[in-house]
Amino acid sequence: MSEPIWKKSASAAVPEAVMRFLAGQDVVLDRELLPFDIRASRAHARGLARIGLLSDEQAGAIGRELDALAEAFAAGDFVLDERFEDGHSAIETWLTERLGETGKRIHAGRSRNDQVAVALRLYLLDRLDRLREIALAIADVALDRAEREADVPLPGHTHLQQAMPSSLGLWWAGHAEAFVDDAELAKAIGEHLNASPLGTASGFGVNLALDRDGVARELGFARLVVNPQNAQAQRGKAELRALDALSAATGDLRRLSWDLSLFASQEFDFARVPDAFCTGSSIMPNKHNPDAVELLRALHATVIGARAELESVLSLPSGYQRDLQDTKPPVLRAFARGLEGLALVPGLLAGLDWNRERMAAAVTPAQFATDRANELVAEGLSFRDAYRRVGDELAALEQRSPGDSLAARVSLGGCGNLGLDRIRARWNALQQDDD
């Protein structure tokens, strides 16, 4: 490992085993954060030049070397490995080796505390944007299929028991609206987190007239985290808010995946999952397992596990504590796995095949009971009396058809009036934000 950037003298040696423990997974995890750390360092250098701590030539040289580091890292020519304590030390080492004294000036006015905080903010904003894009892509497929399959009968269930006639249109629209909600939440939480902590240093400010506003604007932030103490307190808290958005999407995906797991079973036989998302059994030649659907269902566990880790770490007083280093692993793990899985969902949904004959045959006469009770209400009977009468006359419902039942469900959002235009309007507004 290279010399720690905090080392003050040769006598300040730390045993290798202790250094490995202190560094933890940082050098691996920071591979996700290094591009954002480089970006923030570039803006910081220009900010230092604006207040006279770097000349324009020095800031330009630092910027060029940071660009070179970013290119080398992207190409795989520079590897963030055990030579470095973390990504911050790698940046400073790169600049010092290439620029000498000029490279040593990059850390003026900042601490690794605000350096990692700003890199994490940029990372979280990037991942929330990606989450919004994926949620919109899922909703788009669902809305398209809701329009095409609006009138296809599907037996509705509550308590996993047959309930009322439903439709693919209603099923698709329900999942579409949920993912539009998730996209809106990702956007709102991104706006909430769109604040720069850079320039708060170790949590007490610095006796330099840093151009915090200018650096924040250059990095695309909408505002500052003004107070240095609060900037430290936001560590972990910001990640929890971002995980709220991810959790909403993976929670909705869990429900969707459960539906598909049931629908694809031989007992239901409503749907066939595309072969690309299935595997066979190592022992049973007859098996066609929707493994991808099951692992998508499990994604939510990764996210809520990450939240539990963060909540446990954050039992801390004001000010920076080294415990905060352990907030990185769960959030990076959750977003990596969560976004990887969610990105598969549009293709999965687009390729679903439905067994329409089986679904129509599964709509039994008893499922029309609620329709008949409401018809009696429309004729003037109280609902409770209608409820009891229909319960005693279920055999009279045998001649009813699923199509008539769906068409008569005209309340907004119901099978006969899906309100897809309203859901699509919200989708369009969010899509325009992305464009």
Side-chain angles (χ1 to χ4, degrees):
M1 183 182 291
S2 61
E3 287 290 319
I5 58 177
W6 46 262
K7 188 174 180 181
K8 292 178 277 292
S9 68
S11 63
V14 177
E16 185 64 27
V18 176
M19 277 301 303
R20 282 199 304 270
F21 178 74
L22 290 173
Q25 305 172 59
D26 261 14
V27 76
V28 175
L29 297 172
D30 282 358
R31 293 170 190 168
E32 288 287 319
L33 299 178
L34 190 65
F36 302 101
D37 204 345
I38 292 171
R39 183 175 149 199
S41 294
R42 190 186 299 113
H44 179 66
R46 284 196 278 262
L48 293 179
R50 286 194 293 273
I51 64 170
L53 291 182
L54 288 175
S55 68
D56 289 340
E57 292 75 14
Q58 288 172 324
I62 288 173
R64 288 189 294 274
E65 285 301 334
L66 288 171
D67 289 343
L69 174 56
E71 291 172 7
F73 180 71
D77 297 329
F78 174 83
V79 179
L80 190 57
D81 56 24
E82 64 278 356
R83 292 173 296 164
F84 306 102
E85 185 179 5
D86 51 31
H88 317 311
S89 60
I91 290 173
E92 191 162 331
T93 298
W94 176 280
L95 292 176
T96 302
E97 287 177 351
R98 283 156 180 78
L99 299 176
E101 289 298 317
T102 295
K104 294 179 182 179
R105 295 177 178 272
I106 186 61
H107 207 59
R110 72 178 183 182
S111 164
R112 285 192 297 179
N113 295 0
D114 64 337
Q115 193 175 350
V116 68
V118 73
L120 278 164
R121 284 292 176 116
L122 292 169
Y123 166 86
L124 292 174
L125 291 174
D126 178 83
R127 295 310 188 259
L128 287 169
D129 280 346
R130 178 65 181 141
L131 174 60
R132 180 174 60 177
E133 291 171 1
I134 295 172
L136 287 176
I138 296 170
D140 189 33
V141 174
L143 282 169
D144 285 347
R145 295 205 66 166
E147 291 170 358
R148 299 199 310 269
E149 298 167 337
D151 301 324
V152 177
L154 171 73
H157 291 78
T158 63
H159 309 276
L160 285 180
Q161 306 296 309
Q162 293 181 354
M164 291 179 64
S166 186
S167 67
L168 284 183
L170 186 141
W171 184 84
W172 281 118
H175 290 298
E177 188 172 18
F179 281 99
V180 170
D181 290 343
D182 297 333
E184 284 185 342
L185 183 60
K187 177 177 182 288
I189 290 178
E191 291 171 349
H192 173 66
L193 296 182
N194 195 0
S196 173
L198 191 57
T200 58
S202 57
F204 310 100
V206 295
N207 54 337
L208 298 169
L210 299 174
D211 181 16
R212 293 194 62 203
D213 284 314
V215 172
R217 282 193 298 271
E218 185 171 339
L219 289 171
F221 286 108
R223 64 188 186 282
L224 294 177
V225 180
V226 175
N227 183 273
Q229 177 178 291
N230 186 44
Q232 293 303 317
Q234 291 287 321
R235 284 289 307 276
K237 182 179 175 183
E239 289 90 324
L240 279 172
R241 295 294 74 77
L243 286 178
D244 287 342
L246 182 61
S247 173
T250 57
D252 286 330
L253 177 58
R254 179 172 60 179
R255 184 176 293 106
L256 170 61
S257 299
W258 253 120
D259 286 358
L260 295 181
S261 296
L262 291 170
F263 291 170
S265 69
Q266 287 88 345
E267 285 72 19
F268 276 78
D269 194 24
F270 292 168
R272 182 174 177 85
V273 174
D275 289 345
F277 297 88
C278 297
T279 68
S281 165
S282 64
I283 187 173
M284 294 173 282
N286 58 302
K287 293 303 295 298
H288 186 76
N289 302 322
D291 285 2
V293 173
E294 293 165 9
L295 287 173
L296 290 172
R297 189 171 64 200
L299 274 183
H300 191 60
T302 299
V303 179
I304 61 174
R307 291 192 90 264
E309 277 190 67
L310 284 173
E311 291 279 11
S312 298
V313 171
L314 293 179
S315 178
L316 296 170
S318 296
Y320 176 77
Q321 324 293 328
R322 189 64 181 262
D323 312 50
L324 291 170
Q325 177 175 296
D326 279 349
T327 64
K328 282 199 290 187
V331 72
L332 296 179
R333 180 177 67 247
F335 269 99
R337 184 68 173 166
L339 294 179
E340 178 186 38
L342 284 162
L344 298 176
V345 178
L348 167 66
L349 298 185
L352 281 177
D353 284 328
W354 298 100
N355 186 344
R356 299 188 181 205
E357 292 182 1
R358 168 66 178 163
M359 291 188 298
V363 179
T364 60
Q367 293 177 44
F368 299 111
T370 305
D371 288 343
R372 179 55 186 155
N374 284 329
E375 290 168 359
L376 292 173
V377 168
E379 293 171 7
L381 204 62
S382 73
F383 180 80
R384 194 52 55 207
D385 287 343
Y387 177 95
R388 293 191 179 95
R389 180 186 297 184
V390 174
D392 294 334
E393 301 175 0
L394 293 179
L397 304 174
E398 291 184 359
Q399 302 306 312
R400 291 179 172 252
S401 73
D404 290 342
S405 174
L406 300 182
R409 216 83 53 71
V410 294
S411 58
L412 181 60
C415 296
N417 185 14
L418 291 172
L420 297 180
D421 55 333
R422 299 198 184 193
I423 303 173
R424 179 60 79 176
R426 291 175 60 206
W427 186 95
N428 286 336
L430 287 161
Q431 186 64 37
Q432 289 169 4
D433 288 341
D434 281 352
D435 295 341

